[in-house]
Amino acid sequence: MVDQSDALLLAACNCIGQAAYDNQAVAAYLCEWLKAIHIMGKERLTAPEWRKKCKERYGFDPMEKVEIPSNDIEADPVYDYLTGEDMLFKVADNTCRGDPEDASRKILQDFRTGRMGPVSLQLAPETEEDGGQLSVPVGDSTILGKQSSGRNDPEWERQVQQERAKIALETAKERGLELPPIVEDPEGAQDASADVGKGMFDGW
């Protein structure tokens, strides 16, 4: 099973065919991911201009805490960061006449063309004890959750796996390594998961 987070980030980077993913889910997850990087305090290394560009292009501060609506009138106000989905609809309201699909395309295009400034989505561990990149959970009841629950799509997984394989082969070639060809089961009787990591020799 392809890791959902990796799949969404690959889609944000335009490494997967557009027919295989939902623009709104990917754009919202991208915003959620960039927010997490800022909460980690790593924004200077990974996305130094994202917050400023959001203010300039979309008319709001993505890292400003907002009051969370409550049904309890007497309760003290609670403030928290916008979710990725909140940011998507904020962009829609401010720049796209309330259309979240147009907003998602705008966010993804701005990211891909560098209008958000330089962005690194991954953080390498600085020490052996450093966990590196924080994990960003995919929601259950939002458009992110819908994207997650619908991603048992074989076409989606195939494209992600092909992209990963391509990167692995290019890396191996740069390092002067030769990988043995994958042994395919002509009958197709074996479980596909049994072939993971299998080459010319069993257990390779």
Side-chain angles (χ1 to χ4, degrees):
M1 183 70 178
V2 175
D3 181 79
Q4 184 61 30
S5 175
D6 288 349
L8 288 167
L9 293 179
L10 282 170
C13 294
N14 205 23
C15 293
I16 298 175
Q18 291 186 2
Y21 62 86
D22 179 85
N23 286 322
Q24 295 181 42
V26 173
Y29 191 77
L30 174 63
C31 291
E32 189 73 24
W33 191 271
L34 292 170
K35 180 188 76 176
I37 288 175
H38 277 65
I39 292 174
M40 292 173 67
K42 301 287 189 180
E43 70 276 5
R44 293 182 63 185
L45 296 173
T46 57
E49 298 180 24
W50 175 67
R51 186 174 183 178
K52 181 183 74 172
K53 294 296 184 181
C54 282
K55 294 177 184 177
E56 294 174 355
R57 296 187 61 78
Y58 309 142
F60 71 97
D61 183 350
M63 296 308 298
E64 180 180 359
K65 290 187 176 182
V66 297
E67 184 176 350
I68 306 301
S70 173
N71 293 329
D72 188 350
I73 301 176
E74 298 180 357
D76 294 333
V78 177
Y79 294 86
D80 201 355
Y81 296 107
L82 294 169
T83 66
E85 189 175 357
D86 291 335
M87 294 183 205
L88 171 64
F89 284 100
K90 197 85 170 173
V91 174
D93 291 339
N94 291 356
T95 66
C96 300
R97 298 182 180 179
D99 189 332
E101 182 63 23
D102 284 351
S104 65
R105 292 175 182 172
K106 182 179 183 69
I107 290 170
L108 293 175
Q109 185 178 28
D110 285 351
F111 167 69
R112 293 165 180 169
T113 57
R115 294 193 184 104
M116 291 184 178
V119 175
S120 173
L121 294 177
Q122 298 290 347
L123 289 173
E126 297 175 354
T127 67
E128 291 184 3
E129 292 76 26
D130 188 359
Q133 176 68 56
L134 272 181
S135 117
V136 181
V138 179
D140 294 327
S141 59
T142 64
I143 53 175
L144 294 177
K146 295 174 184 176
Q147 176 76 358
S148 177
S149 63
R151 282 289 64 116
N152 292 325
D153 182 1
E155 177 64 19
W156 166 275
E157 294 190 13
R158 184 185 66 79
Q159 291 194 43
V160 173
Q161 289 169 347
Q162 285 181 344
E163 182 62 26
R164 283 181 166 177
K166 179 181 177 183
I167 294 172
L169 288 172
E170 290 175 352
T171 302
K173 186 176 181 181
E174 290 173 359
R175 297 180 180 179
L177 302 175
E178 292 187 7
L179 300 180
I182 296 175
V183 176
E184 297 183 356
D185 178 14
E187 302 300 326
Q190 292 185 354
D191 185 354
S193 62
D195 290 333
V196 175
K198 192 171 182 180
M200 292 180 66
F201 308 100
D202 256 357
W204 173 84

